[in-house]
C-alpha cells in the first residue's frame, strides 16, 4: 500500500484515474501489485531433479525464485518497469501472490484491504504529494517502508 501511495504521489495522473474512474480501480491495484510485490523472492526446495536453463538442480536443493524479477520480465511484460494498468489480460499474470496450488491464501484479504483504504482516501482527497524523504526497509527478499511522509489534500 505504501508503494502504491508513493507511486501515485509521484505520478498524479494515476491517482486521478483511480479517484475518478472506479471501473479502473481493480486493474490499477493489480498493476501495482505486479510492480511492487511485498515479497521479492522466496526459497523452495526441489522435490525432484529439474532443469533451469542449461543447469540441473538436484533433488532436495534450495531454489531461490525472484518474484520481483519475474514480474518485470520483458518477455512477458512490454515496458516492464512502467505502470500500465491497461495491459492485455494475458500480460497481467504476475507472480506476486504465487500461482496455482501454491498461491497465497490471504491475497483476497490483501487486495480487499488495499482497495478499501484507497477507496476511503478517494472519497476525501483530490491530491497526494510527497511530504518528505521515505525510509525504506528493502532487501532482496522483502520491500517495505519504515516511514513514508505524504501530504493528502
Amino acid at each position: 500500500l505504501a508503494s502504491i501511495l508513493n507511486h501515485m504521489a509521484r505520478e498524479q495522473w494515476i491517482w486521478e484515474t483511480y479517484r475518478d474512474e472506479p471501473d479502473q480501480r481493480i486493474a490499477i491495484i493489480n498493476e501495482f501489485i505486479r510492480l511492487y510485490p511485498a515479497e521479492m523472492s522466496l526459497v523452495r526446495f526441489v522435490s525432484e531433479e529439474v532443469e533451469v536453463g542449461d543447469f540441473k538442480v538436484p533433488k532436495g536443493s534450495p531454489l531461490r525464485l525472484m518474484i520481483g524479477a519475474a514480474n518485470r520480465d520483458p518477455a512477458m511484460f512490454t515496458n516492464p518497469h512502467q505502470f500500465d494498468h491497461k495491459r492485455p489480460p494475458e500480460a497481467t499474470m504476475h507472480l506476486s501472490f504465487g500461482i496455482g496450488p501454491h498461491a497465497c491464501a490471504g491475497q483476497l484479504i490483501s487486495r480487499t484491504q488495499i482497495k478499501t483504504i484507497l477507496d476511503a482516501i478517494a472519497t476525501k482527497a483530490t491530491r497526494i504529494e510527497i511530504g518528505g524523504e521515505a525510509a525504506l526497509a528493502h532487501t532482496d527478499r522483502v520491500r517495505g517502508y519504515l516511514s513514508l511522509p505524504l501530504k493528502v489534500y
Side-chain angles (χ1 to χ4, degrees), residues 8 12-25 28 118-119 121-128 153:
M8 286 178 163
Q12 195 64 36
W13 73 269
I14 301 171
W15 170 247
E16 292 166 359
T17 303
Y18 189 91
R19 184 193 65 218
D20 299 338
E21 299 179 36
D23 61 314
Q24 298 297 306
R25 291 178 179 179
I28 289 170
L118 291 176
D119 286 359
I121 296 169
T123 64
K124 304 271 186 198
T126 57
R127 257 181 30 236
I128 301 171
Y153 300 98

Side-chain angles (χ1 to χ4, degrees), residues 137-153:
H138 187 78
T139 70
D140 65 338
R141 186 174 177 283
V142 296
R143 75 174 296 118
Y145 288 83
L146 299 172
S147 67
L148 177 62
L150 294 173
K151 296 178 183 178
V152 180
Y153 300 98

Side-chain angles (χ1 to χ4, degrees), residues 16-57:
E16 292 166 359
T17 303
Y18 189 91
R19 184 193 65 218
D20 299 338
E21 299 179 36
D23 61 314
Q24 298 297 306
R25 291 178 179 179
I26 298 299
I28 289 170
I29 290 168
N30 194 53
E31 178 67 351
F32 275 127
I33 291 170
R34 178 190 72 81
L35 280 172
Y36 304 112
E39 191 170 31
M40 299 298 287
S41 69
L42 53 89
V43 175
R44 293 291 185 261
F45 291 88
V46 180
S47 60
E48 59 187 56
E49 182 177 275
V50 65
E51 280 190 44
V52 178
D54 295 332
F55 185 76
K56 288 187 183 198
V57 181

Side-chain angles (χ1 to χ4, degrees), residues 16 27 30 57 75-76 85 95 99 120 132 144:
E16 292 166 359
N30 194 53
V57 181
M76 182 68 180
H85 68 288
L95 300 176
I99 194 166

Side-chain angles (χ1 to χ4, degrees), residues 65-78:
L65 307 169
M66 304 304 293
I67 296 167
N71 282 356
R72 292 177 182 236
D73 181 355
M76 182 68 180
F77 304 100
T78 304

